[in-house]
Amino acid sequence: DHLCSFVEDEEFFGKDSRLIYRHFATLYFIVICDSSESELGILDLIQVMVETLDKNFESVCELDLIFHCPKVHTIIDEIVMGGMVLETNCHEVLRATAEIAK
């Protein structure tokens, strides 16, 4: 909790790239992006992903991500597609994924 959520290492990630991560319970969510992205925006995006996964799986854990991989991909595809954030409302994402599952 007392560590920075941003890592910049030009040698490892390449020029103009950084790693942004967030730790939730036993899960780490990691995004690598360039400097044009807002760090706080990416942290908010990670928060939306975690909240949506948590509502879908009722307290998400590693096993949910492993055994329901297609469902996780569908949820993430509803939030982000082609590098663009499409939806940040958890309820809308869950509604859309439920409709896709029909």
Side-chain angles (χ1 to χ4, degrees):
D1 285 337
H2 297 93
L3 300 176
C4 180
S5 296
F6 314 107
V7 177
E8 291 186 39
D9 186 348
E10 190 171 304
E11 188 175 313
F12 191 75
F13 300 117
K15 187 176 180 181
D16 200 36
S17 294
R18 73 175 137 247
L19 180 140
I20 302 171
Y21 68 94
R22 188 98 189 258
H23 178 234
F24 291 93
T26 59
L27 300 173
Y28 280 88
F29 290 83
I30 300 168
V31 176
I32 297 177
C33 59
D34 61 19
S35 65
S36 67
E37 298 293 336
S38 164
E39 292 99 346
L40 295 178
I42 297 297
L43 286 173
D44 188 48
L45 176 63
I46 293 171
Q47 179 72 31
V48 168
M49 286 183 191
V50 171
E51 284 179 16
T52 306
L53 291 170
D54 201 49
K55 286 180 182 177
N56 186 77
F57 295 113
E58 298 173 6
S59 190
V60 68
C61 69
E62 313 77 23
L63 295 176
D64 293 323
L65 302 181
I66 292 169
F67 292 117
H68 303 286
C69 197
K71 178 76 168 182
V72 172
H73 285 158
T74 302
I75 290 170
I76 292 173
D77 284 346
E78 286 297 317
I79 297 171
V80 178
M81 186 171 285
M84 298 293 293
V85 176
L86 301 175
E87 184 63 66
T88 58
N89 183 325
C90 299
H91 300 290
E92 285 298 315
V93 172
L94 293 174
R95 185 194 58 74
T97 56
E99 188 149 324
I100 289 170
K102 287 183 181 178

